[in-house]
Amino acid sequence: MRDAATLWTSEEIALATGGTASAPFDVSGVTFDSREVGPGDLFLALKGEATDGHRFLDQAFAQGAAGAVVSEAAAHPHVLVSDTIAALDALGIAARGRCAAKVIGVTGSVGKTGTKEALFAALDRPEPGTAHRSVKSYNNHTGVPLSLARMPRSARFGVFEMGMNHAGELAALTRLVRPHVAMVTTIAPAHMGFFESEAAIADAKGEIFQGIEPGGTAIIPFDSPHRDRLIEAAKPYAGAIMTFGNGDGADYRAVEAMRTRTGGTFVTARFGVRELSFTIAQPGAHWVSNAMGIIAAVDAVGGDLEMAGLALAEMGGLAGRGARFLARLPEGEALVIDESYNANPASMRATLDVLAQEPGRKIVVLGEMRELGDHSQAFHAELSGPIEAAGVGYAILVGQDMAPLAEALEGRIDFVHVADADTALARLESILAPGDAVLVKGSNGVRLSAVVAALGTLRTCST
């Protein structure tokens, strides 16, 4: 008899993947990263260009793995398959097929992870443990099937983030997820190095609708200039199309938005003849718009809207995506806003708008924005306006691609242009003073998370 904690049995894994089990075993979790293996996990020994998971089998079992999926002979309990990458997909497909959960798929140029986390919190709030979501930013060709494979068969709701940087990628992912609700947060010039235009990005994001379950719902940003393009992309697949945003005519619209004393926003949402008032803990106008999409998605899957409002009021910032803390200095404290995970022109502007609301001297540590292709110089230079508008008193620009911004800021505000995160940290530590508000943001490869981590050693509390 299967234990309640059992996610997969060896028999089920073999059936799903077409493999052969060496011995009976049960697993309570799934991972392909040997560093994340814990007691009772299934370890998938994936073979990639850079590494081979089979090299880490002994380590995985030393850490408590209960079984493995392998494509080579192994001394540990395992399911032998011909291709472990294909087996991962098969396990994800089987997990999706055996579960009756209402599934939401989320994509967009900005706000995917925050929206996914907020949806999970909103759906899990009434009855904790009944919702499942992809963790971290597992949104690619391996992360999505892994997140599916981790979904308990008893889940009532599943929320999955899907990303892409080339056309065709989302079409494959959405057919794995098969969402009942597919949501696009926004369209912005991210990954412009791989696309000829922003409209082409919209087309690629619109691929998410191709996997919608029959009768499912497409949720589209009303205020986007690509709204009609997304609607046309959804029409062949969706049973219903809903829009969200601030504009008059959006199906889920913010009719009132007032900043609270704690930096969040009190919102009244109107949809049809209904209204819902709630507080969003996260600061920024972009969160007001995202919250309308979140309410639309919760409504579409039959979730509890009042509980969703409570979840949004309780939700703190995510590491690298808006988390805040106070750093202790010799004579006081400074606010640190951690947006270090990633950056593109739209998200830079949104977080600078948030910084503008903070009291005290405003400092930015901004890393270069990558994958912008031929548009890179212009997009970097154009940040000078939002930086000035935010009232930034000092800017630390990090990376070679920040040179056009440095040139644009010359004579306008105080700044320094440095090569790397270590130099940026040294400069920041030399000028940081009590009462300062510091925004740290850049593409992940710039490693500005190291700046945040160093400041985190001085943490007094989260805000």
Side-chain angles (χ1 to χ4, degrees):
M1 182 176 178
R2 183 193 303 115
D3 185 89
T6 299
L7 183 63
W8 295 95
T9 67
S10 54
E11 182 180 6
E12 290 169 337
I13 296 166
L15 182 63
T17 63
T20 303
S22 67
F25 60 84
D26 297 344
V27 299
S28 54
V30 183
T31 186
F32 52 61
D33 187 336
S34 60
R35 297 166 296 183
E36 295 181 355
V37 173
D41 280 349
L42 175 70
F43 176 59
L44 288 133
L46 303 187
K47 286 187 176 182
E49 294 180 3
T51 189
D52 182 351
H54 294 83
R55 293 168 45 208
F56 303 102
L57 282 168
D58 289 342
Q59 174 188 333
F61 279 89
Q63 292 172 202
V69 174
V70 298
S71 58
E72 301 174 1
H76 304 284
H78 63 269
V79 172
L80 181 65
V81 299
S82 59
D83 182 335
T84 52
I85 293 284
L88 173 59
D89 275 357
L91 206 59
I93 291 168
R96 177 67 181 86
R98 73 182 184 179
C99 183
K102 290 291 186 180
V103 173
I104 301 173
V106 180
T107 193
S109 302
V110 183
K112 294 186 296 294
T113 302
T115 297
K116 177 257 298 181
E117 290 294 325
L119 278 167
F120 168 76
L123 294 167
D124 203 53
R125 181 67 166 74
E127 193 175 346
T130 58
H132 170 78
R133 92 290 206 185
S134 47
V135 299
K136 300 181 181 178
S137 290
Y138 282 179
N139 61 20
N140 63 7
H141 66 289
T142 55
V144 169
L146 176 68
S147 298
L148 284 167
R150 290 173 166 176
M151 182 164 58
R153 70 194 78 223
S154 60
R156 291 185 57 212
F157 301 103
V159 187
F160 298 92
E161 175 183 345
M162 288 176 268
M164 63 89 206
N165 56 21
H166 289 85
E169 289 177 315
L170 266 178
L173 296 178
T174 192
R175 290 188 174 103
L176 289 176
V177 173
R178 294 193 288 115
H180 297 94
V181 175
M183 176 182 176
V184 177
T185 59
T186 190
I187 303 297
H191 311 300
M192 280 294 286
F194 304 115
F195 294 93
E196 62 181 17
S197 66
E198 200 171 280
I201 293 175
D203 291 340
K205 294 295 185 185
E207 292 173 12
I208 193 173
F209 305 126
Q210 296 177 19
I212 288 180
E213 288 287 86
T217 302
I219 298 179
I220 288 168
F222 180 85
D223 303 312
S224 170
H226 306 287
R227 175 190 65 210
D228 293 343
R229 198 178 194 95
L230 291 169
I231 288 173
E232 289 303 312
K235 279 181 178 178
Y237 307 100
I241 298 173
M242 297 294 171
T243 60
F244 68 92
N246 300 313
D248 189 12
D251 296 311
Y252 289 77
R253 179 189 172 207
V255 294
E256 183 181 38
M258 297 183 297
R259 190 169 186 264
T260 67
R261 287 183 298 174
T262 57
T265 310
F266 178 79
V267 176
T268 297
R270 181 175 295 158
F271 37 105
V273 297
R274 295 177 290 168
E275 285 192 355
L276 179 69
S277 294
F278 56 95
T279 298
I280 306 167
Q282 294 298 300
H286 58 295
W287 263 106
V288 175
S289 178
N290 287 347
M292 297 305 102
I294 290 160
I295 294 300
V298 171
D299 200 22
V301 296
D304 187 318
L305 294 178
E306 286 74 18
M307 286 293 190
L310 287 175
L312 288 167
E314 297 164 350
M315 186 176 171
L318 305 175
R321 295 181 173 88
R324 293 170 165 232
F325 62 88
L326 295 174
R328 184 186 294 111
L329 304 176
E331 297 180 358
E333 297 172 325
L335 172 67
V336 179
I337 304 173
D338 176 16
E339 288 276 358
S340 60
Y341 183 77
N342 218 335
N344 59 47
S347 65
M348 280 285 198
R349 285 177 167 80
T351 50
L352 284 165
D353 285 345
V354 171
L355 179 66
Q357 304 300 316
E358 299 301 330
R361 181 175 64 156
K362 298 168 182 61
I363 299 172
V364 292
V365 182
L366 301 181
E368 62 190 14
M369 303 176 291
R370 296 183 175 176
E371 296 185 354
L372 295 179
D374 294 339
H375 307 270
S376 179
Q377 290 191 6
F379 280 133
H380 282 88
E382 288 167 2
L383 290 179
S384 61
I387 288 172
E388 277 197 293
V392 171
Y394 193 84
I396 301 173
L397 311 179
V398 189
Q400 181 178 350
D401 287 350
M402 277 295 187
L405 177 56
E407 183 177 347
L409 289 176
E410 192 69 49
R412 297 166 70 176
I413 70 166
D414 290 335
F415 73 91
V416 64
H417 184 198
V418 301
D420 53 46
D422 291 340
T423 310
L425 175 61
R427 183 59 182 163
L428 178 61
E429 289 177 330
S430 72
I431 64 166
L432 194 59
D436 287 345
V438 183
L439 168 65
V440 183
K441 186 169 183 63
S443 287
N444 197 31
V446 187
R447 294 183 52 252
L448 292 186
S449 57
V451 174
V452 175
L455 295 174
T457 63
L458 307 174
R459 180 191 300 257
T460 61
C461 65
S462 298
T463 66

